[in-house]
Amino acid sequence: MNYSWDRPSPARRIQREDALLAVGYAALAWLLHSLDLTATGSPLVPGLAPWWPALTVIGCAAVLLRRRQTAVMVTVCFAAAVALVLANSAAGLFLAFEAVFSLVLFGSARAARAAEVSVLVLCGASGAAAWALTGDLRDGVTVILLTGMVLLLPAEWASNLRKAAQLAESESARAAAIRSAARDQERLAAREHELALAAERQDMARELHDVLSSRLSAIALQSGAALRSPAGSSLPVEVLGHVRRESVKGLEELNGMIRTLSSGVPRPLAGSVLDLDAVVDGHRAAGMDVSWSNRLDRPEELPSPLQAAVYRIAVEALVNAARHTDGARVRMLLERAPGGIRLVVQDDGGSHPGRSAGSPALAGTGTGVPSMLARAGQLGGRAWAGPAASGRGWTVEATLPADGSQLPEPLPGQGNIGTEGTKV
């Protein structure tokens, strides 16, 4: 059963077991009367004796209300029980039993506690009164036993049932809380899984962009330069050599990514500071004016993640300069900085901004600059990209820690080297 102890509940309606209980009490009263089994031997109030059938019906009818109207049931049932005992009907004892039982089981918590204390006091007081009136201790003990069976026994029985029901409710609520927490944990795990997948997709998009876009852009620029070269020139041969190297490198990196996706084993980081010389030579072969200055001592000793980040950022910056300008002069500088190293790639805007070398502007994916910023941030560094102070050209600057530690915050007013670019 599911009970709410401190307020009425819609579930407290007349149930089949209550109706059967009321009929059972009525049948028991008729049986006791027919067998002449009485409560006191002779009526204490003779005028009530003829009314025992009506009193029994009233008390049994009140039993139907023990769940829905407990207070009314207890009042009517207990009054009918007292009247029946005074009329010498043993049915009053059973109705008194039921009144105490229903009050403790279905009443409010305060009423149940008061009933338990009251019946205990009543048992002791009735025994003491019987002893005092008769002067015989046996009469007092007999009265205590009788009132204990009629009043104290149902109170304790109902109290145990009430506590068992409350314990069952508590366990049910605890189980529901555990199930709710488990569902919340599942939703949290699902959300974390979705975030992990999103992060993996972003990493994959960045890697694909850096591997394919830069290589294919370089191939497109170099092949365009070869097509524009005059007949008999040695430039196509040189450019085709760069195209082949870019193609082979791109295929190797793409195969490495495929192996990583298939096996889950991380691939070695591709790109180093020393590889930038070949990248610059390829862009120069395509017709770009590139000034490249590497001021680092023993750059090969830098950590692999740092070298890969410098390589990717520099390549992306060169590709963007070649893609969006025509005849641009580009200055690329790599040097030591406080706490790490600094990379600057700066172009002057060229003669026809928005055009790649001799061909229509190639549409970007929109992930180049975010990829540069993400690579710098992953290493605890900073990156900026923005227009030059003169209004022509673009500057990319990245400052990366050499030992993997977080760089200090820039001083107020610190921005791109030689520009007033925008921090992004």
Side-chain angles (χ1 to χ4, degrees):
M1 299 179 186
N2 185 15
Y3 303 118
S4 179
W5 305 109
D6 295 319
R7 63 181 184 277
S9 170
R12 294 186 181 181
R13 59 185 183 277
I14 297 176
Q15 296 188 3
R16 180 181 178 183
E17 63 184 62
D18 299 336
L20 293 176
L21 186 61
V23 172
Y25 280 134
L28 182 61
W30 175 83
L31 178 63
L32 294 174
H33 186 78
S34 64
L35 295 176
D36 198 23
L37 295 176
T38 61
T40 58
S42 61
L44 299 177
V45 180
L48 292 175
W51 296 95
W52 76 267
L55 295 172
T56 301
V57 171
I58 293 173
C60 292
V63 173
L64 300 175
L65 303 176
R66 66 178 192 152
R67 300 172 193 271
R68 188 172 54 181
Q69 297 290 338
T70 304
V72 174
M73 175 268 176
V74 171
T75 302
V76 174
C77 197
F78 200 79
V82 173
L84 285 169
V85 170
L86 294 176
N88 196 29
S89 174
L93 302 177
F94 296 98
L95 290 179
F97 182 103
E98 180 58 38
V100 174
F101 182 86
S102 297
L103 178 59
V104 175
L105 183 59
F106 299 112
S108 65
R110 179 180 298 178
R113 288 193 297 269
E116 292 183 73
V117 174
S118 298
V119 296
L120 184 60
V121 173
L122 184 59
C123 288
S126 61
W131 183 17
L133 290 175
T134 64
D136 190 346
L137 181 59
R138 291 177 297 178
D139 292 337
V141 173
T142 301
V143 170
I144 290 176
L145 292 177
L146 180 61
T147 54
M149 286 187 293
V150 174
L151 301 177
L152 187 58
L153 179 61
E156 292 302 316
W157 182 12
S159 177
N160 291 334
L161 290 177
R162 184 187 185 103
K163 291 175 182 177
Q166 289 175 335
L167 179 60
E169 285 185 353
S170 176
E171 289 298 322
S172 177
R174 179 173 176 272
I178 292 175
R179 289 193 297 269
S180 177
R183 288 193 295 269
D184 292 342
Q185 188 66 28
E186 290 177 359
R187 287 192 290 266
L188 179 60
R191 181 58 179 165
E192 290 177 351
H193 181 64
E194 292 175 359
L195 292 176
L197 289 179
E200 289 180 1
R201 287 195 296 270
Q202 291 177 354
D203 290 342
M204 189 180 301
R206 182 166 59 248
E207 289 297 321
L208 285 173
H209 172 272
D210 291 347
V211 169
L212 297 181
S213 179
S214 62
R215 298 292 184 186
L216 294 178
S217 297
I219 290 173
L221 294 172
Q222 293 164 358
S223 59
L227 290 174
R228 295 193 310 272
S229 63
S233 172
S234 61
L235 180 61
V237 176
E238 181 183 354
V239 169
L240 288 177
H242 287 290
V243 167
R244 184 181 184 282
R245 283 193 294 273
E246 292 289 339
S247 302
V248 172
K249 286 288 187 181
L251 287 174
E252 290 177 353
E253 294 180 4
L254 184 59
N255 288 334
M257 291 186 62
I258 294 174
R259 285 192 296 270
T260 297
L261 294 175
S262 300
S263 63
V265 179
R267 66 189 180 94
L269 295 173
S272 67
V273 173
L274 299 181
D275 293 335
L276 289 177
D277 293 336
V279 172
V280 170
D281 290 342
H283 282 274
R284 286 171 177 167
M288 179 181 290
D289 184 359
V290 182
S291 172
W292 161 229
S293 176
N294 181 3
R295 300 178 182 176
L296 298 181
D297 296 330
R298 296 187 296 276
E300 67 278 1
E301 296 180 1
L302 294 174
S304 297
L306 177 59
Q307 295 204 48
V310 171
Y311 176 82
R312 294 299 186 191
I313 294 173
V315 169
E316 181 63 27
L318 287 175
V319 168
N320 285 341
R323 177 185 292 155
H324 299 295
T325 58
D326 182 9
R329 289 186 295 274
V330 180
R331 180 176 70 90
M332 188 165 72
L333 170 66
L334 182 61
E335 62 181 358
R336 290 284 178 182
I341 62 174
R342 178 169 53 192
L343 171 70
V344 179
V345 182
Q346 215 168 27
D347 67 77
D348 62 2
S351 56
H352 299 288
R355 295 280 306 279
S356 62
S359 62
L362 301 174
T365 62
T367 60
V369 172
S371 176
M372 291 189 289
L373 303 183
R375 290 190 179 277
Q378 286 176 347
L379 296 178
R382 297 186 297 271
W384 292 266
S390 62
R392 290 179 57 84
W394 192 264
T395 300
V396 173
E397 178 185 347
T399 306
L400 306 173
D403 55 358
S405 60
Q406 188 77 21
L407 285 176
E409 289 297 322
L411 297 176
Q414 181 178 351
N416 293 337
I417 291 181
T419 70
E420 296 180 0
T422 305
K423 182 180 179 181
V424 278

